[in-house]
Amino acid sequence: VFDSGLGGLCALKELHRILPDADLVYFGDTGRTPYGTRSPETIMKYAAQDARFLLSRNVRAILIACGTVSTVALNALKISLPVPVFGVVSAASREAAMSTKNGKIGVMGTGATISSGVFEHELKLINGSLEVTSVACPLLVPVVEYGFADDEIAYLSVKRSLQPVIDAGADTVILGCTHFPLLIKMLKKAAPHITFVDSGAAAAREIAAAFPDKNGSGAVHCCVSDT
């Protein structure tokens, strides 16, 4: 499992819950976070380096627990890597489409994720009548990475970021960046009527279903590129 920073730990936690005997390796690129403000070329380069690190640990599959990388580099990594590669878009889109009652779905993500339009495209493939409102949320990743997820500044940032999807009447919101579930307390406080879909956890359930065997010691190794 890899992410640009610490957000992917939510996906790792869910994967470990489902497959407690599986051996898991996590890499958080804390030295170069965030990815969401980078160019597609830089994101592709970083993602390839992250994947090579995991391959050096003899992994059988890779989960990209990063919304930005999943939207920009997933297909390229699927082609170039010798193991199955999973992203966060498809699984989260399916869960959101099943969850919504009024057909109005919000997507919160980094600038790169929202600019790609990939969540909207995936949702429209599932159900062309869905109304999708996408919002870039540049404030939220730094709030999480600097440890302010439970601070008043987090609530104000979340409230501001949520306003467009609230105004659009969305009853379901995809957290398209795996950092955002760490703000779930503030998200629910700001919009208690909305169902939030954790894209990383949804992807973890997808990869667990594809690798159901539980042979392993249950070891979890967490690595970072900086403090």
Side-chain angles (χ1 to χ4, degrees), residues 19-65:
L19 299 176
D21 296 324
D23 294 329
L24 304 175
V25 181
Y26 180 82
F27 175 68
D29 192 6
T30 51
R32 300 186 295 195
T33 194
Y35 282 8
T37 56
R38 313 281 186 174
S39 68
E41 294 77 15
T42 297
I43 294 167
M44 293 276 287
K45 180 177 74 173
Y46 288 179
Q49 293 169 348
D50 298 345
R52 281 199 296 273
F53 171 78
L54 291 179
L55 288 174
S56 74
R57 305 295 291 265
N58 299 315
V59 298
R60 294 176 53 206
I62 291 176
L63 171 57
I64 304 171

Side-chain angles (χ1 to χ4, degrees), residues 111-180:
T113 293
I114 299 305
S115 295
S116 74
V118 68
F119 273 103
E120 184 170 358
H121 177 72
E122 190 73 20
L123 287 163
K124 292 290 188 179
L125 286 178
I126 296 169
N127 183 347
S129 67
L130 291 172
E131 296 180 28
V132 183
T133 302
S134 299
V135 184
C137 307
L139 297 174
L140 301 188
V141 171
V143 166
V144 171
E145 287 290 329
Y146 287 110
F148 295 121
D150 294 319
D151 192 88
E152 179 67 13
I153 192 173
Y155 176 69
L156 294 173
S157 300
V158 161
K159 189 175 180 181
R160 184 182 183 92
S161 299
L162 271 172
Q163 200 57 53
V165 295
I166 292 174
D167 291 344
D171 69 347
T172 301
V173 171
I174 296 174
L175 302 179
C177 172
T178 50
H179 283 74
F180 296 175

Side-chain angles (χ1 to χ4, degrees), residues 1-97:
V1 182
F2 77 86
D3 180 37
S4 62
L6 305 179
L9 289 171
C10 294
L12 183 78
K13 183 178 181 180
E14 178 69 2
L15 195 56
H16 185 57
R17 183 188 70 79
I18 301 169
L19 299 176
D21 296 324
D23 294 329
L24 304 175
V25 181
Y26 180 82
F27 175 68
D29 192 6
T30 51
R32 300 186 295 195
T33 194
Y35 282 8
T37 56
R38 313 281 186 174
S39 68
E41 294 77 15
T42 297
I43 294 167
M44 293 276 287
K45 180 177 74 173
Y46 288 179
Q49 293 169 348
D50 298 345
R52 281 199 296 273
F53 171 78
L54 291 179
L55 288 174
S56 74
R57 305 295 291 265
N58 299 315
V59 298
R60 294 176 53 206
I62 291 176
L63 171 57
I64 304 171
C66 175
T68 299
V69 175
S70 294
T71 55
V72 174
L74 175 62
N75 289 335
L77 292 179
K78 280 186 172 182
I79 293 170
S80 64
L81 298 182
V83 299
V85 182
F86 296 77
V88 302
V89 177
S90 297
S93 297
R94 285 195 298 271
E95 288 197 9

